[in-house]
Amino acid sequence: MDNELFEKAPIPRAYMTLAIPVVLSMMVTLVYNTVDTYFIAHTGNTDMVAGVSIATPVFTVMIALGDIFGLGGSSVISRLYGKGRFDDGRRLSVFCFWGAVLTGIIVIILGLTFHDPILTMLGADDSTWRYASQFYSLIILGSPFIIVSMTPSNLLRTEGFAGPSAVGSVAGTAINICLNPLFIHVFGWGAAGSAGATVIANICTDLYFVWFLLKRSRNLSIDPRLMLRSGHLDISRQEASGIFAIGIPASVTNLMQSLGIVMVNLFLLPYGNDAVAAMGIALKIVMIAVMILVAFAFGGQPLIGYNYGAGNMSRLKALLKFAYSFLGMLALVMTAVLIACARPLMGFFSTDTGMLRVQLLSTVCVSVVLVTTCTFQSAGKALGALLLSVSRQGVMLAITLFAGSGLAGYHGVIAAQAFADLLTAVLAVVLAVILLPELRGRKAESRKIALVDE
């Protein structure tokens, strides 16, 4: 493990060393999402496109389940490393890996058992059922590989292996991009081909991560014997709760993104399908900026967790000052660029450029929310992480949608997300003051900070 990087390296260099690979991985994923949509749409079969779209939320749920062990585990383990408890970190990394495997097996059982009811709930009908079922069934069968891939990719960064973590994710995405046209168009497998390419890509990613954990990692493992003592699971209730208390809010954040889009669409429906379509395009463009901010914010998570666990408050304060400043400036730059390019960006799909500009006004607020959420997760502040996870595209958005639509109609709905971002940023600042007293000057003893809020 590169202790020099975590403890002594200049903060900008240390932060960027861990964050840049995450950003690159995120950008490749964004490219894949665009290419995947293109390959499906290029078949000219609108029922297939709709069927895959209907079943895609199942894949999102798997990513969210993987985050429970990936982000929850990395939060606890990075703090353990800061305290010098490397053996405990290794033991918990085994728990996270096999916990993800077990979760995937449970998803297979439940997903196949409730195949028809789930597809009906997702909206599959006679015209889309065949394609939705093909995509859904293969994704469900591959769920252990998809869920597991999210665990090592996050845990490796706690040991400073941000580069190898990104290599695994990028390689998997590249394989997916290569297999998609082969399976969909050459072999003619359609929706099943898209799902099959995704599963195979995740299998390849898992194999790379397993090899790296076995051959290169000194403080992480997948050996199940490390978490057993006299035939019993050697994981305390506090350790497990520490992982779940952070991992579950992290997974909720992913689910809230889908919920937020659904809520906005429902409020826009009275104003016509054109409004819904325009907002869909605007949100996709905004999502590019948000995902870049997410990658930079959470790329530094192991660094924050390590120094919090070590009780090095002076370095932690400097880290957070850099993170807030850098992400705030980045948000401003991206906002200016995207607003300036609003007409050509939206012009391909819609003439409503004002919709995009309004969505971009609160990007700086989003950066504040993301850094604060990352800090809460890194420090084991489960309550703060949960409250922010359900706020921006959940509770706060619901409040601003109801209020905005009632007070200003269409324009109120359009501005709802921006106001929700502002309110969530204010909440983030208030929660940080309350839940992180160490940053206000109260001394914390090194290596005695709890794994999770008592």
Side-chain angles (χ1 to χ4, degrees):
M1 181 172 181
D2 188 359
N3 286 19
E4 173 74 21
L5 178 69
F6 286 87
E7 297 177 356
K8 298 178 181 180
I11 286 173
R13 180 171 72 83
Y15 196 96
M16 291 303 173
T17 298
L18 291 172
I20 291 295
V22 181
V23 175
L24 294 176
S25 176
M26 187 73 71
M27 294 304 295
V28 171
T29 301
L30 288 172
V31 171
Y32 161 69
N33 288 336
T34 303
V35 172
D36 184 51
T37 302
Y38 169 79
F39 287 137
I40 292 291
H42 197 60
T43 62
N45 187 334
T46 55
D47 289 337
M48 182 187 298
V49 175
V52 172
S53 298
I54 286 169
T56 296
V58 176
F59 180 75
T60 304
V61 170
M62 292 179 190
I63 298 299
L65 291 173
D67 282 342
I68 294 177
F69 298 98
L71 293 177
S74 65
S75 171
V76 174
I77 291 170
S78 62
R79 278 175 277 136
L80 287 171
Y81 288 168
K83 299 176 184 182
R85 294 168 55 184
F86 297 104
D87 288 342
D88 287 332
R90 184 181 298 110
R91 179 169 51 84
L92 289 185
S93 71
V94 177
F95 171 77
C96 290
F97 182 87
W98 290 105
V101 173
L102 178 60
T103 300
I105 294 173
I106 293 173
V107 169
I108 290 179
I109 296 172
L110 295 178
L112 294 181
T113 301
F114 298 101
H115 173 280
D116 289 2
I118 290 175
L119 284 181
T120 300
M121 181 183 66
L122 291 174
D125 57 22
D126 291 342
S127 60
T128 59
W129 187 277
R130 170 190 170 189
Y131 305 108
S133 178
Q134 289 174 352
F135 186 89
Y136 172 91
S137 298
L138 272 179
I139 286 292
I140 288 292
L141 289 172
S143 56
F145 304 104
I146 297 170
I147 294 171
V148 166
S149 68
M150 300 302 297
T151 302
S153 64
N154 284 288
L155 297 187
L156 283 174
R157 294 189 293 114
T158 66
E159 204 175 4
F161 290 125
S165 171
V167 167
S169 299
V170 170
T173 302
I175 291 171
N176 204 337
I177 291 173
C178 293
L179 292 180
N180 251 291
L182 181 67
F183 288 177
I184 294 173
H185 297 295
V186 178
F187 294 166
W189 293 346
S194 177
T198 299
V199 172
I200 291 174
N202 278 274
I203 291 173
C204 294
T205 297
D206 291 342
L207 290 173
Y208 168 79
F209 283 142
V210 167
W211 170 83
F212 195 93
L213 288 170
L214 292 174
K215 299 296 184 180
R216 299 286 301 279
S217 176
R218 296 178 57 188
N219 298 302
L220 299 169
S221 178
I222 61 171
D223 186 348
R225 294 172 297 181
L226 295 179
M227 64 176 183
L228 298 175
R229 179 181 297 176
S230 301
H232 298 286
L233 188 64
D234 186 23
I235 303 293
S236 70
R237 180 177 297 179
Q238 183 187 22
E239 290 171 331
S241 66
I243 292 170
F244 293 128
I246 300 302
I248 291 175
S251 68
V252 168
T253 300
N254 282 336
L255 298 178
M256 285 294 106
Q257 293 177 6
S258 299
L259 176 62
I261 293 173
V262 170
M263 286 195 295
V264 171
N265 287 341
L266 289 175
F267 274 86
L268 280 176
L269 278 175
Y271 304 100
N273 290 333
D274 287 347
V276 175
M279 177 59 82
I281 300 303
L283 290 178
K284 285 183 181 296
I285 295 171
V286 173
M287 184 57 64
I288 295 173
V290 172
M291 295 307 288
I292 291 173
L293 292 174
V294 168
F296 272 113
F298 286 86
Q301 186 177 31
L303 201 60
I304 295 172
Y306 183 97
N307 284 278
Y308 185 87
N312 191 346
M313 292 300 117
S314 60
R315 185 168 174 83
L316 179 59
K317 289 179 183 179
L319 273 169
L320 294 180
K321 181 179 179 180
F322 173 81
Y324 280 114
S325 300
F326 173 74
L327 264 77
M329 290 300 298
L330 179 62
L332 285 174
V333 171
M334 289 194 296
T335 297
V337 171
L338 290 175
I339 286 179
C341 299
R343 187 169 299 278
L345 286 172
M346 290 293 290
F348 289 109
F349 311 98
S350 170
T351 58
D352 194 349
T353 58
M355 183 180 287
L356 174 59
R357 292 189 173 102
V358 171
Q359 304 307 309
L360 289 167
L361 290 178
S362 59
T363 310
V364 173
C365 296
V366 176
S367 69
V368 172
V369 174
L370 290 173
V371 175
T372 309
T373 302
C374 173
T375 303
F376 285 153
Q377 291 182 1
S378 301
K381 303 298 180 180
L383 177 61
L386 178 61
L387 289 175
L388 292 184
S389 295
V390 301
S391 291
R392 178 178 170 258
Q393 292 186 296
V395 176
M396 291 297 188
L397 180 57
I399 292 172
T400 55
L401 280 170
F402 277 105
S405 62
L407 294 172
Y410 172 78
H411 296 291
V413 175
I414 297 303
Q417 184 65 72
F419 279 104
D421 292 343
L422 175 60
L423 292 175
T424 309
V426 173
L427 176 64
V429 173
V430 172
L431 289 175
V433 171
I434 296 173
L435 299 178
L436 292 169
E438 301 91 345
L439 301 180
R440 301 202 308 269
R442 196 180 79 182
K443 293 183 178 179
E445 294 183 34
S446 178
R447 312 198 189 284
K448 291 187 180 180
I449 298 175
L451 293 181
V452 67
D453 296 335
E454 297 292 344

